[in-house]
Amino acid sequence: MNMKLLKTLLMTPMICASATALTPLSALAEPRPNILIFYVDDLGWQGTQLNDVDAPCPYETPNMVKLSEQGMNFTQGYSAAPTCAPSRAGIITGQHPGKLRYTHVLFDRIIKGKPTQELVDPYLGSHLQLDALTLATALQDNGYHTGHVGKWHLGLSSSLFGFEFSHEERGVHRKPPDRTKGFATVDDPKYPLSQKKYPPFSTKKPDGISYPYDDVTETALKFMEESQDKPFFLYLAHWMVHWPAMTRNGELLEYYCDKLGQSFPPKSGAMSIPGQNNPYYASMVTTVDWSLGRIVDYLEKTDDPRNPGKKLIETTYLIFTSDNGGCMSHGQEVLADNSPLKYGKSNGEEGGIRVPMVIEGPGIPKGSQFDGLVNQLDYFPTILNLTHSTIAPEAKAALSGLDITLVLLDGAQQIVDAQGAKRENLFWHFPHGEDSMKSALREGDFKLLKNYETHDYSLYRLYKNGQREDLEEMNDLATDPEYAPVLKKLSEKLDRHLAENQVEGPYLNPAYSGKTKPAAEIQVVKFHAEKRLASVRLKTSGPAIKTAYVIYRDKPGEKKSKHGKGEFDVRIGVKMPATIASSGQRVSAQIPDGIEAYCFLLIDENNYQTFSDIQLAQ
């Protein structure tokens, strides 16, 4: 399939949907600001010098600190989810990952549970819905030059989701053969060291150190330089500080080995010292900080071609944050320590969802701080307001976050919705992993967790009258009679959020040895080649099917690109609604030409999730 034609066909409905409500550019009273989202991968709330609760963070992040001094720091900033892909989906669509049914990084993996597992993860599909209105499409329709640089992680390519410019390379985060040696040199063909020196400074390197060439950072700078006559939206998403823990900067690694009291070069094998003692991880954090400094330096020194007499820093809103909490380990290797927050990435506890967050830009008071609950889902409606952009009313109504412009520009101490009602809470839904299948809610001083595996709740009082109480989530109040009214109120609110957003999963596992209710059982799967009609018939002794899908698959044994490069079929891995017979015991689906294989996904009345085997469409 021709990629350019595919992109045009896919994007046309979204463009039409949002273009109907545009404000003429000539009607705007002043030039609109640029928008830059600087997104870090797996950087926890305690992985910077921004908040630094309890033990000081050993990672040096002077540019993050400087940004907070020039803008607003959000001490209770949250990601949309505890893992990468759903948070990215939330930022780019403005819709809750639970609502999108895009809640993890599993993509099109079919997970069949073990006999010891009562619950199983829902099937997610291979990529973000192509008909989702993205922030990039909305801003492009409103006259912005849109660019994405770095990690996408939503399936296919960012070029299919409203980005005129797309560059998804890893840059300096590409894994070397041996991380203990072979660091970048001045004449390195791919990663030449900079002539200019940068922090950190030390007795060994009093003038600072050089940094290897980073394709992600340099491409982002080039994009801004080439925007010229249009305001730009740049989504700069670093691959760091995600695994692999590595650096090509030998001087920086030596600095952290010295600071952490370890030998240089490090020995081969896992870095297993507890706490924030991994020099590779520390080097990645400071490299990201260096990249932020390069971006801000460019904005400070470059004239805005649309605003004579002003620098880009005066006309650009820069949002700095991370996709989820710090990943604590990888195999035997200790990476991050999110203390005093509990747990880390992939968990609904504070360590998995509370993230560093700073916003700087025109009109935002320098050195300001906001202590209320803020979610990355708030970016979409806020950016629409800051850029004087409009989208169709139904698209705006679908957004899950709230506009925080009044907090940024007017010093408001409360976030309110369009009707003026104050924000009460935030919620998360993560129906994945045996130990982490949870939904969560933050309201006021309290944090509620709905534990799917144990069929109960956990309740913590993080603050007491705004002061730190149990930030560690160690004192579970769920069974304390004094807090029964709080548990009842918050659990009802959480359940209402889950119902209103029609979240999915977890489901019951039909292979579970201890199940107490029957699950639907497949009797036969057939394919009528002439009609290209697939069908599945169930044993009549089991429960009826309430929801059914067909999933188009590659032919078994074949692996094809699903990342927007070369020839690919965007339908592969996506679940499509199937037809359920009135009896509830038979399901059928038309299989389009070009689809070589398929399987059925069935949810029965007892809430069991069942997959058929993959079948050839022949």
Side-chain angles (χ1 to χ4, degrees):
M1 186 178 293
N2 181 278
M3 282 298 301
K4 184 177 289 187
L5 175 60
L6 173 63
K7 178 180 177 181
T8 301
L9 291 173
L10 292 174
M11 298 306 297
T12 298
M14 291 184 282
I15 292 172
C16 293
S18 55
T20 55
L22 299 184
T23 299
L25 301 186
S26 59
L28 299 175
E30 57 186 33
R32 288 171 301 160
N34 306 301
I35 301 294
L36 198 163
I37 297 177
F38 192 104
Y39 213 37
V40 190
D41 196 345
D42 288 359
L43 181 63
W45 189 66
Q46 284 296 88
T48 78
Q49 294 175 307
L50 289 171
N51 300 299
D52 226 7
V53 175
D54 296 344
C57 175
Y59 317 141
E60 297 183 22
T61 56
N63 293 301
M64 298 178 198
V65 173
K66 177 185 173 184
L67 189 71
S68 69
E69 292 170 349
Q70 297 299 313
M72 182 175 291
N73 183 38
F74 294 84
T75 61
Q76 296 195 71
Y78 287 93
S79 60
T83 57
C84 312
S87 287
R88 294 163 196 273
I91 270 196
I92 211 66
T93 67
Q95 297 191 52
H96 197 285
K99 183 179 180 181
L100 294 170
R101 297 192 168 189
Y102 202 83
T103 47
H104 201 13
V105 298
L106 300 175
F107 298 116
D108 60 346
R109 275 185 274 171
I110 293 176
I111 299 177
K112 296 184 179 180
K114 302 174 184 177
T116 56
Q117 295 174 302
E118 181 184 12
L119 302 173
V120 288
D121 302 25
Y123 178 85
L124 301 183
S126 57
H127 53 76
L128 181 66
Q129 299 93 312
L130 283 161
D131 61 351
L133 175 65
T134 68
L135 181 57
T137 298
L139 292 179
Q140 184 184 32
D141 289 352
N142 280 269
Y144 273 72
H145 184 206
T146 59
H148 163 248
V149 177
K151 186 172 180 177
W152 177 238
H153 212 210
L154 294 176
L156 304 177
S157 166
S158 58
S159 62
L160 296 176
F161 293 88
F163 288 100
E164 300 166 275
F165 179 85
S166 175
H167 184 84
E168 298 176 24
E169 298 301 318
R170 275 189 172 272
V172 77
H173 192 240
R174 191 163 295 282
K175 184 179 180 181
D178 184 345
R179 66 176 180 171
T180 67
K181 59 185 180 181
F183 303 109
T185 60
V186 173
D187 56 357
D188 193 305
K190 288 188 176 180
Y191 310 99
L193 289 174
S194 64
Q195 293 184 354
K196 185 175 180 179
K197 303 294 183 180
Y198 299 91
F201 305 104
S202 66
T203 53
K204 285 185 179 179
K205 302 286 184 179
D207 297 325
I209 65 174
S210 298
Y211 280 74
Y213 177 89
D214 177 34
D215 186 49
V216 172
T217 304
E218 297 303 321
T219 302
L221 294 172
K222 184 179 180 182
F223 168 80
M224 291 189 289
E225 182 180 351
E226 294 178 349
S227 293
Q228 293 298 319
D229 62 335
K230 281 187 175 183
F232 63 77
F233 165 50
L234 172 60
Y235 173 46
L236 197 175
H238 270 283
W239 295 81
M240 293 180 285
V241 294
H242 194 284
W243 181 264
M246 50 75 66
T247 179
R248 294 181 180 275
N249 192 332
E251 293 180 316
L252 184 57
L253 182 61
E254 182 178 15
Y255 174 83
Y256 275 114
C257 284
D258 291 345
K259 182 173 184 178
L260 299 174
Q262 301 176 28
S263 62
F264 176 81
K267 297 178 181 179
S268 297
M271 307 295 294
S272 56
I273 303 175
Q276 294 180 319
N277 285 298
N278 190 323
Y280 293 106
Y281 188 86
S283 298
M284 292 196 296
V285 173
T286 295
T287 298
V288 166
D289 184 80
W290 165 83
S291 175
L292 176 66
R294 294 268 285 125
I295 296 296
V296 173
D297 184 64
Y298 175 83
L299 296 174
E300 290 176 338
K301 293 180 178 179
T302 305
D303 293 331
D304 185 340
R306 300 179 301 111
N307 294 273
K310 289 188 176 183
K311 301 294 184 183
L312 284 173
I313 194 69
E314 300 176 82
T315 60
T316 301
Y317 287 101
L318 196 162
I319 300 171
F320 170 86
T321 190
S322 171
D323 60 352
N324 47 251
C327 181
M328 299 178 68
S329 63
H330 183 90
Q332 297 300 312
E333 179 132 359
V334 175
L335 296 172
D337 186 340
N338 299 311
S339 300
L341 304 187
K342 190 174 184 179
Y343 302 149
K345 179 180 180 178
S346 301
N347 291 276
E349 284 80 0
E350 291 293 283
I353 54 177
R354 191 183 288 212
V355 293
M357 186 182 296
V358 177
I359 303 179
E360 190 270 346
I364 299 177
K366 294 181 183 295
S368 53
Q369 179 171 298
F370 183 71
D371 298 320
L373 303 182
V374 178
N375 194 292
Q376 292 169 357
L377 298 172
D378 299 331
Y379 296 169
F380 200 125
T382 303
I383 289 171
L384 289 180
N385 193 351
L386 293 173
T387 60
H388 315 294
S389 297
T390 56
I391 57 176
E394 59 271 21
K396 190 171 184 179
L399 299 179
S400 300
L402 298 179
D403 180 1
I404 64 169
T405 301
L406 293 179
V407 170
L408 292 172
L409 304 184
D410 292 351
Q413 296 302 301
Q414 294 282 350
I415 298 174
V416 298
D417 63 18
Q419 288 71 46
K422 296 178 182 178
R423 162 168 282 163
E424 289 188 351
N425 50 54
L426 299 174
F427 86 99
W428 297 263
H429 180 61
F430 191 71
H432 306 280
E434 285 189 77
D435 299 323
S436 52
M437 282 183 175
K438 299 174 183 178
S439 295
L441 183 133
R442 263 296 317 267
E443 179 167 313
D445 291 343
F446 291 94
K447 174 75 170 289
L448 177 77
L449 292 162
K450 183 175 185 176
N451 308 305
Y452 291 104
E453 280 287 335
T454 53
H455 307 286
D456 60 9
Y457 292 93
S458 299
L459 178 68
Y460 303 101
R461 185 163 193 169
L462 306 186
Y463 298 91
K464 190 171 184 178
N465 301 321
Q467 299 300 310
R468 177 176 171 180
E469 174 76 4
D470 183 24
L471 199 56
E472 298 84 353
E473 293 173 276
M474 297 298 292
N475 184 23
D476 189 353
L477 305 171
T479 59
D480 187 330
E482 179 184 350
Y483 291 93
V486 177
L487 178 65
K488 182 177 185 297
K489 180 182 72 171
L490 296 188
S491 61
E492 288 175 351
K493 289 184 177 182
L494 176 56
D495 286 343
R496 186 160 58 247
H497 279 307
L498 299 177
E500 289 174 351
N501 286 272
Q502 298 181 314
V503 305
E504 186 176 27
Y507 291 111
L508 291 173
N509 173 21
Y512 179 50
S513 59
K515 64 177 182 284
T516 57
K517 297 183 292 184
E521 293 186 64
I522 294 174
Q523 188 172 53
V524 64
V525 181
K526 291 184 177 180
F527 182 72
H528 192 295
E530 186 176 342
K531 297 181 180 179
R532 294 198 62 79
L533 184 68
S535 62
V536 56
R537 189 169 71 247
L538 307 176
K539 293 182 179 180
T540 56
S541 58
I545 299 302
K546 67 176 182 180
T547 307
Y549 302 97
V550 63
I551 304 171
Y552 305 144
R553 312 294 301 183
D554 288 324
K555 186 182 293 185
E558 292 186 3
K559 288 186 177 181
K560 298 180 181 179
S561 171
K562 296 183 179 67
H563 300 285
K565 298 177 181 178
E567 294 295 322
F568 67 99
D569 191 326
V570 299
R571 300 171 295 181
I572 300 297
V574 176
K575 56 185 183 182
M576 309 293 290
T579 300
I580 304 172
S582 58
S583 65
Q585 303 293 332
R586 185 177 182 277
V587 173
S588 61
Q590 202 75 36
I591 307 300
D593 291 336
I595 297 298
E596 298 179 296
Y598 66 92
C599 71
F600 283 100
L601 164 56
L602 311 173
I603 310 297
D604 66 35
E605 290 179 327
N606 288 336
N607 211 38
Y608 286 96
Q609 177 177 261
T610 300
F611 293 92
S612 74
D613 292 333
I614 296 176
Q615 310 288 321
L616 294 178
Q618 61 185 35

